[in-house]
Amino acid sequence: MPHVVTQACCGDASCVYACPVNCIHPTPDEPDFGIAEMLYIDPNTCVDCGACVTACPVGAISAGHRLTEGQERFIDINASMYGMTRSGAAGPDIGLTEARFPVDRGRRLPLAPIAHPDALDVDGAVSVGIVGSGPSAMYAADDLLRYPQVSVTMYERLDRPFGLSRFGVAPDHQSTRSVMRLFDDIARNPRLEIRLNTEVGRDVTLDELRRRHTAVIWAGGAPTDKPLPIDGADADGVTSATSFVGWYNDHPDFADLDVDLSGREVVVIGTGNVALDVARILVRDPDDLADTSISATALSALRTSGVRRVTVLGRRGAEHAAFTLPELVGLVDGGIPVTVDAQDLPSPGSTTDPTSRTKLEVLAEIAARPVPTGPHIRFAFGRAPREITVVDGRARGVVVDRPDGFQELLDAGLVLTSIGYRGRPVPGLPFDADRGVIPHDAGRVRDESGPVPGMYVTGWIKRGPSGFIGTNKTDSGETVASLVDDLESGRLPVRASSRRSLLRVGRR
Ligand code: NAP
């Protein structure tokens, strides 16, 4: 049986380059790549060689016959993107007739993993400083270190490296967290030094870094959360999901977060993957989390939790839910108790987008099940938060506007706002305050007068808080390509010694 991409897909596209028959799409140069919720294997073209399994850094690909319980639905999810059923026959019986990547083998050229003999033609050694050590920083370093004359120094504020892959990914998403093994490998390169406990702006200035290095890449991420502009949002008992994630992931900044789990009801505002993560952690059996990397404080708080229901609140309809299909399937087929009101759901046929349609089908399946009796997640769509009710300084509920014009009060002992991350301005660098990003041209930092010499940017602070861990590979690839181009064209001066031309050694 052909291979199948499953929930943990990180989108770094290593599998695309490893596949000898080009059966994994979208590829980074196809238009859908930037918006795809995962990558998909064409079951008719897959030759079952397993090269993609080896290449995937998070163990997301499996031979069809080796799928574990709860993963079977991914056979259809992969096939449907090519307009097929799991038997390989073209046909509408799973309701998905519009193939995203139409099968046309005549046009698909096999993509062998060919080494690119690019030359880096510069005078002398190149030293690059990278601020941050999260996924975008690690992928940038990996790309740079392919050139033997490049050395990289990373500056990390915290006492442990790898950013969101350590402090952002949920502890029960162990496959996704395993990307840290790849980052460990990259970190072993003797030409990479990671300086921990080193905050740029406190321990060293950006100007010093720019004098010290040939180039500096800012990869500081989007470390804060978008504020929710409604009354009561600053009351006790209202916390951002990003802080809550930091708390259960042992992030030192959130060790003392005030998390009160004594109430029966929690409301999570927002329907993104972060909302699903926090809701799932709140209703999971703590015994299932005991062997994970969850912080001891969070585990002991969850063991005595009184929470019975977590309402995930979407201000728009279910067809606009921000969570991805793999995460919804992982939740539902992973045995997490979930419920949703059938009356809140439009018919799956109301959308032509195959991914949204499958999401609505899965939600309709949930709506047909009995409401769970134990701790569970409830999706409430089409309810825009208007105000958080506060009694004696503490949040007690969320007032929402419903589509029928009425208001509704949802009880809540704890409110988690999960409405997206946001970048912070960096002193000394330009900032687009509307988008919360550093303005750039293909990764070259740009202010009103043009490119800022020797200064580059990558990751969430470059493109905004979107995509998956592996999305940073393509993003950082673009930034490093600009940096290399500037070196070779002489726009980025290198402290001179001998002129060398060295081969680029392979690609991952
Ligand atoms: P997100 O996907 O951007 O979702 C934000 C949610 O907040 C949306 O439902 C949005 O609704 C809602 N929202 C925004 N402003 C609001 C307001 N004023 N009032 C009410 N609701 C509001 O953000 P995220 O969940 O933080 O995720 C960030 C990125 O990380 C995403 O790319 C995500 O896929 C990724 N991530 C991935 C995983 C994974 O793969 N397992 C895990 C975590 C995060 P509207 O749509 O109506 O604006």
Side-chain angles (χ1 to χ4, degrees):
M1 193 184 264
H3 282 63
V4 176
V5 183
T6 64
Q7 183 192 345
C9 178
C10 72
D12 90 348
S14 300
C15 55
V16 167
Y17 298 106
C19 174
V21 294
N22 189 19
C23 76
I24 308 176
H25 295 266
T27 65
D29 48 4
E30 287 174 342
D32 272 356
F33 184 74
I35 51 163
E37 295 195 349
M38 57 182 281
L39 304 183
Y40 308 89
I41 292 180
D42 173 357
N44 263 0
T45 313
C46 174
V47 290
D48 265 343
C49 68
C52 53
V53 177
T54 315
C56 176
V58 293
I61 306 181
S62 173
H65 61 278
R66 292 219 182 90
L67 291 174
T68 57
E69 202 184 332
Q71 291 184 319
E72 294 84 355
R73 207 191 293 257
F74 285 100
I75 297 176
D76 278 348
I77 290 174
N78 279 248
S80 67
M81 283 294 154
Y82 302 89
M84 276 176 280
T85 63
R86 71 173 69 192
S87 67
D93 56 325
I94 54 169
L96 299 173
T97 48
E98 299 89 1
R100 272 259 160 94
F101 316 112
V103 179
D104 178 358
R105 275 183 231 135
R107 284 178 47 227
R108 291 227 191 112
L109 296 174
L111 267 184
I114 301 163
H116 284 240
D118 297 345
L120 179 56
D121 186 7
V122 295
D123 289 339
V126 174
S127 156
V128 179
I130 300 183
V131 182
S133 68
S136 64
M138 296 311 298
Y139 281 121
D142 192 31
D143 231 9
L144 284 163
L145 291 166
R146 292 174 203 290
Y147 300 103
Q149 69 269 57
V150 177
S151 62
V152 173
T153 307
M154 258 178 207
Y155 300 87
E156 168 55 59
R157 178 175 77 87
L158 299 177
D159 59 351
R160 283 158 290 165
F162 310 153
L164 272 192
S165 53
R166 184 186 304 281
F167 296 115
V169 177
D172 57 344
H173 276 174
Q174 301 204 36
S175 299
T176 309
R177 295 183 69 87
S178 69
V179 75
M180 283 193 277
R181 290 206 291 260
L182 169 69
F183 297 157
D184 266 330
D185 278 350
I186 297 169
R188 275 194 205 103
N189 189 312
R191 285 180 288 117
L192 171 62
E193 181 192 359
I194 305 182
R195 296 194 186 169
L196 299 173
N197 298 308
T198 308
E199 183 172 344
V200 176
R202 183 193 63 188
D203 304 304
V204 60
T205 67
L206 182 56
D207 280 346
E208 278 168 336
L209 291 196
R210 293 181 65 190
R211 282 196 295 274
R212 190 180 294 173
H213 298 288
T214 318
V216 174
I217 302 178
W218 193 276
T224 183
D225 48 277
K226 268 174 49 184
L228 181 67
I230 61 173
D231 285 349
D234 53 358
D236 286 348
V238 184
T239 302
S240 74
T242 56
S243 311
F244 187 71
V245 168
W247 175 73
Y248 64 57
N249 273 333
D250 209 16
H251 190 303
D253 290 358
F254 303 105
D256 299 325
L257 192 73
D258 170 27
V259 178
D260 179 357
L261 301 181
S262 59
R264 291 173 66 84
E265 300 271 357
V266 175
V267 171
V268 181
I269 298 177
T271 61
N273 282 341
V274 172
L276 290 202
D277 280 348
V278 298
R280 194 182 63 251
I281 295 295
L282 280 166
V283 302
R284 269 203 101 129
D285 182 341
D287 284 345
D288 293 345
L289 296 168
D291 288 335
T292 70
S293 56
I294 193 167
S295 79
T297 313
L299 185 61
S300 98
L302 289 166
R303 285 198 187 285
T304 55
S305 163
V307 174
R308 307 294 292 169
R309 180 165 72 165
V310 179
T311 299
V312 173
L313 192 67
R315 62 176 166 176
R316 297 192 287 158
E319 66 280 26
H320 301 293
F323 50 70
T324 56
L325 178 59
E327 289 307 310
L328 177 66
V329 167
L331 192 73
V332 174
D333 292 351
I336 304 295
V338 192
T339 185
V340 59
D341 282 351
Q343 71 209 30
D344 284 353
L345 300 178
S347 125
S350 62
T351 168
T352 53
D353 175 69
T355 307
S356 303
R357 197 177 336 178
T358 311
K359 278 187 204 172
L360 291 178
E361 285 168 353
V362 175
L363 288 169
E365 243 180 64
I366 300 169
R369 295 179 187 170
V371 176
T373 48
H376 65 276
I377 296 172
R378 170 199 176 210
F379 288 116
F381 294 108
R383 290 169 173 83
R386 161 177 285 269
E387 177 191 347
I388 292 172
T389 52
V390 181
V391 178
D392 297 334
R394 220 177 157 86
R396 288 286 173 254
V398 182
V399 179
V400 297
D401 289 328
R402 297 194 328 195
D404 57 12
F406 287 94
Q407 289 182 358
E408 185 181 345
L409 173 64
L410 307 175
D411 285 342
L414 174 68
V415 178
L416 296 174
T417 59
S418 183
I419 62 172
Y421 288 77
R422 191 175 160 75
R424 272 201 204 113
V426 176
L429 293 181
F431 191 65
D432 176 341
D434 290 337
R435 297 186 53 227
V437 297
I438 293 175
H440 69 96
D441 287 319
R444 297 176 179 94
V445 174
R446 161 178 52 77
D447 62 18
E448 320 75 58
S449 49
V452 178
M455 199 63 229
Y456 300 82
V457 64
T458 187
W460 274 4
I461 191 67
K462 171 189 177 191
R463 69 177 191 278
S466 66
F468 314 102
I469 284 184
T471 312
N472 293 293
K473 186 178 170 89
T474 328
D475 194 3
S476 292
E478 179 191 59
T479 296
V480 170
S482 296
L483 194 159
V484 165
D485 187 42
D486 291 348
L487 281 169
E488 295 191 317
S489 64
R491 282 191 295 272
L492 186 55
V494 176
R495 269 147 240 161
S497 63
S498 58
R499 189 162 183 84
R500 296 199 288 176
S501 181
L502 292 160
L503 284 186
R504 190 178 205 211
V505 283
R507 63 194 296 177
R508 190 176 292 278

